[in-house]
Amino acid sequence: MHSPDCISYPPVYTDTALADFKEPAPAQSEETYGPWSPGTPSRQAYDLDFEDHVKAPGHHIAEILDDYPTILLQSDLVHPCLLEPQIIRMTGLLSEWSPDLSLQRAVYSGVAKKDGQDIEVAVKFVASIEEAKMEVANYGHLEALQGTVIPRLYGMLFGYEKNSDEEVACLVLERFGSKLRLDFHQMDMVSRGEALNRLVDIHRAGFSHCDFARRNVVTKDGQYRIVDLADVTPHEGVCQWTFDFVENAGRVLPYSEQRALRGVCPIIFAAASEALYWSAGRLVLGGMYGVEAAPSLPKSHEVYQVPDVVIGLDDSYHYKESEKRDIAIKIYEEFKKQLDKYPMEHVIHFKNWTSYEVHRKWHAERNISFAPRLVPDEDGQWIHVGVRGFREREAALNLQYLSLEPNFDLSPYSIIQA
Ligand SMILES: [Zn+2]
């Protein structure tokens, strides 16, 4: 856990900009002055201007702050802010909005001035003053990684809730890129490797992040940074991890090698497990059928990008598990052929057609009747037809245009034209 030292960690800023402040801080100790207390005059005042700029669903959770929509915040004298006093224009909510989102968990985006230039910032509100200081201390411990592995920290600001002496605190950080669009297991291995290597950087600096998750990774132009340092703790012993997640991204690791890596640093190993990094050699088709990776099948992350693939379409036929597995492999082999020619969006768009046609061919080859209650419509969405309606529906869909010859090559475009 956090040591008490974290709270009184000395100012982390060594930036020469601090020297520009006209009046030096009075030589009052934290004991007599307090880290920040009501009524303490501060020469560094900042306004967060929310007016008209922030379009967030629901109400603006910053409304609980005194003087909303233009909120006066102040830095304290122990943790001076690297930005000159100014109005920070707030532009949006970076946290995913939900009805129970509280201000203390909200992260806003904003535009601030630094050395005359506009910079994008993330303003992260924190549950308590103490937690804010602990996170600031963690940014201080990892100062050498700011701007490459973790965001830059510009400062910590304090204010009040409306009609209350309840203090609030926020961290003003560099805004880097955006959150991950895909889940880890849907990202290609090199991208996952880049994110995991940043975690390794933190370990090499002597700390554990302790909350490595998709929500705490941001990306821009193929680079990845790790955010939310609230749970950072000193690493137990010196981390001996040397395995490079990017260099090894193309390899299927034997189990013995995986086991050895787990022994090197169980925390990094677990994070990589969370990202399904170790299971690249194993595919789960249709969310259910585990098979070995093969050149005839899509890669692991591609398999996970195609949602809701129906296997065992005709519910009037009782498929054995081995038959479903067989059909699953055939469907994903078709996906792979399509991926060789078309982008993933097309494969996803036509996935139901592909499933339908593979089932149809599979039934035909075995002389098993085929009368599913689900048929893809012109947009590729399943529509429910009764057994009786099926023939009619099939005729209407011009399914005869779908190739029935052996080794058919399902082209989405020919289906559209059909
Ligand atoms: Zn480690």
Side-chain angles (χ1 to χ4, degrees):
M1 278 309 293
H2 305 286
S3 72
D5 293 348
C6 295
I7 297 169
S8 57
Y9 190 84
V12 295
Y13 310 110
T14 53
D15 196 295
T16 49
L18 290 179
D20 296 338
F21 289 116
K22 298 284 181 291
E23 299 166 75
Q28 280 160 303
S29 76
E30 206 171 330
E31 271 162 32
T32 57
Y33 217 87
W36 191 77
S37 52
T40 298
S42 167
R43 286 168 309 281
Q44 298 185 51
Y46 299 81
D47 283 307
L48 301 188
D49 179 11
F50 284 84
E51 195 159 29
D52 295 335
H53 306 304
V54 179
K55 300 275 186 286
H59 62 288
H60 290 177
I61 43 191
E63 276 174 22
I64 67 163
L65 291 169
D66 203 15
D67 292 331
Y68 178 91
T70 303
I71 297 154
L72 175 69
L73 298 177
Q74 291 172 301
S75 65
D76 69 7
L77 296 171
V78 180
H79 307 86
C81 185
L82 288 183
L83 304 175
E84 57 267 29
Q86 59 182 282
I87 296 170
I88 300 175
R89 187 162 49 86
M90 307 308 288
T91 53
L93 184 66
L94 294 174
S95 311
E96 220 152 273
W97 192 85
S98 68
D100 62 348
L101 178 67
S102 65
L103 178 69
Q104 285 76 11
R105 290 191 297 117
V107 184
Y108 281 95
S109 59
V111 176
K113 284 255 186 275
K114 187 173 193 310
D115 306 325
Q117 302 282 321
D118 276 352
I119 55 163
E120 283 194 277
V121 292
V123 177
K124 177 189 180 179
F125 287 90
V126 183
S128 71
I129 305 283
E130 291 315 310
E131 281 187 33
K133 288 180 181 173
M134 279 194 262
E135 190 164 357
V136 165
N138 291 333
Y139 272 94
H141 294 312
L142 296 173
E143 191 174 8
L145 305 186
Q146 287 188 31
T148 52
V149 176
I150 57 173
R152 284 181 199 288
L153 175 71
Y154 296 124
M156 174 170 55
L157 302 176
F158 305 90
Y160 283 106
E161 285 186 17
K162 205 167 266 180
N163 306 321
S164 156
D165 55 6
E166 199 69 42
E167 291 168 293
V168 293
C170 63
L171 273 55
V172 182
L173 297 150
E174 165 198 30
R175 183 182 175 193
F176 180 82
S178 52
K179 294 193 163 207
L180 299 183
R181 191 174 50 86
L182 299 173
D183 280 332
F184 279 136
H185 59 274
Q186 297 172 318
M187 290 162 57
D188 65 73
M189 281 293 172
V190 170
S191 301
R192 270 183 261 184
E194 290 283 359
L196 286 165
N197 277 354
R198 299 294 76 77
L199 182 69
V200 174
D201 291 336
I202 293 175
H203 278 237
R204 291 214 181 109
F207 290 85
S208 296
H209 181 268
C210 298
D211 193 13
F212 183 77
R214 171 181 184 253
R215 67 177 184 284
N216 288 335
V217 177
V218 289
T219 182
K220 182 178 158 186
D221 303 333
Q223 295 191 325
Y224 293 82
R225 288 189 196 165
I226 298 177
V227 299
D228 192 349
L229 302 195
D231 297 328
V232 164
T233 58
H235 196 287
E236 207 172 293
V238 176
C239 189
Q240 304 290 342
W241 192 274
T242 55
F243 179 89
D244 187 301
F245 284 103
V246 173
E247 281 174 16
N248 289 283
R251 281 177 62 211
V252 173
L253 260 69
Y255 186 67
S256 58
E257 198 175 338
Q258 292 184 31
R259 201 167 40 198
L261 285 169
R262 182 186 288 139
V264 175
C265 179
I267 302 170
I268 291 178
F269 185 87
S273 300
E274 173 88 15
L276 295 187
Y277 184 90
W278 310 119
S279 55
R282 189 99 183 128
L283 309 177
V284 181
L285 307 182
M288 212 182 279
Y289 303 100
V291 299
E292 295 296 318
S296 61
L297 290 167
K299 292 192 185 313
S300 162
H301 69 280
E302 294 168 333
V303 165
Y304 284 113
Q305 285 181 29
V306 187
D308 306 324
V309 176
V310 175
I311 294 156
L313 181 60
D314 185 348
D315 60 10
S316 64
Y317 175 73
H318 182 75
Y319 298 92
K320 296 191 191 91
E321 281 305 290
S322 59
E323 291 175 335
K324 284 196 189 177
R325 175 181 299 270
D326 184 38
I327 291 170
I329 291 171
K330 286 179 160 54
I331 290 173
Y332 281 84
E333 283 174 347
E334 281 307 316
F335 289 159
K336 169 62 178 156
K337 283 188 211 164
Q338 293 169 23
L339 280 170
D340 290 342
K341 289 191 203 167
Y342 307 108
M344 176 56 81
E345 293 70 36
H346 286 247
V347 176
I348 293 170
H349 187 77
F350 289 100
K351 69 186 167 72
N352 294 344
W353 280 107
T354 307
S355 167
Y356 183 93
E357 186 54 13
V358 167
H359 279 89
R360 175 188 171 87
K361 183 161 178 272
W362 188 89
H363 279 247
E365 284 169 354
R366 286 158 186 77
N367 264 327
I368 300 168
S369 71
F370 182 56
R373 290 162 196 271
L374 289 175
V375 176
D377 69 7
E378 291 80 353
D379 295 323
Q381 300 296 308
W382 291 118
I383 54 164
H384 202 271
V385 294
V387 175
R388 213 176 299 165
F390 167 69
R391 292 292 163 208
E392 206 177 299
R393 182 72 201 160
E394 190 179 43
L397 286 170
N398 280 330
L399 289 184
Q400 67 272 22
Y401 283 94
L402 293 178
S403 53
L404 290 169
E405 65 271 23
N407 304 319
F408 76 91
D409 177 19
L410 187 68
S411 156
Y413 295 110
S414 71
I415 293 174
I416 290 178
Q417 285 149 18

